[in-house]
Amino acid sequence: MVVEKVVGVLETQTTSDVVVVLVPDEMGLYQRRGKRVFDFVVSLVLLLVLTPILLVIALAARISLRKGSIFRQERIGMNGEAFECLKFRTMEHDRRCECHEFDGPDRRHTHKSDDDPRHTTVGRFMRKFSLDELPQLMNVLKGDMSLVGPRPELINVASAEFIEHPRHWVRPGLTGPYQISELRRTGDLRTGLRLDAEYVGNLSFTNDVKFLLKTGVMVVRGQGA
């Protein structure tokens, strides 16, 4: 194994760290073939098993919002290519209107806020158990996403430096190292770049299974939000 690339400086308000990612001369079998096969088979099985639950959630979201239950949003995928990420709607359609005053954290700095008044009651329940993310199994099946990997970021955070980060050398994930860490609740999003880089540098079947199991435990405990 040799050092092929050194990731730039990870900057936060208080400190900066240099992240080094070791990349093999030749990708292993899991990285080249196994991961995609694993994603396809598992996502297909999960979609078949969870279809009744998905239909119930879609109906509940439709009733609570009185409009479409699926939210589509452009996100940054592998190699910086954009794709349409799917979610169940958890917010009212006019969530950006002035009728909802919100003093919570800026969406550009953190994804999560338990007190955001723009969420519906059904939406809060979905977010608590990460049910709103289930439509992304379709993204995994299509090949836009992986079961495990760095979470896909919004298009409006894209920059040349950000796109070159090793988190974009792989498909974005339904879950990943950032999602099972405390940083998801308490940290700035950019502090998660180190975890993403470390994941890419140590990508393996064993680590993917480990992240999936830990995610499953968190979802069952209602720690998904």
Side-chain angles (χ1 to χ4, degrees), residues 4 13 37 43 54 57 60 62 64 71 77 85 99 109 169 183 197-198 202 213 217:
E4 288 191 351
Q13 293 180 346
V37 172
S43 62
L54 292 170
I57 296 172
R62 175 84 179 192
S64 65
F71 177 64
C85 187
C99 57
H109 298 293
W169 300 351
L183 291 175
E198 290 175 352
N202 297 282
L213 291 176
V217 172

Side-chain angles (χ1 to χ4, degrees), residues 5 26 31 38 45 63 77 112 125 132 135 190 198-199 216:
K5 294 190 179 182
E26 296 182 3
Q31 290 94 325
F38 179 68
V45 171
I63 292 173
K112 302 293 178 179
F125 178 82
D132 57 317
R190 289 196 174 276
E198 290 175 352
Y199 168 78

Side-chain angles (χ1 to χ4, degrees), residues 3 15 36 42 55 58 77 99 102 143 150-151 160 169 180 182 190 207 211 222:
V3 178
T15 185
R36 178 61 192 139
V42 175
L55 292 175
C99 57
F102 179 49
R151 284 295 292 166
W169 300 351
I180 63 173
E182 287 299 317
R190 289 196 174 276
N207 283 339
F211 287 131

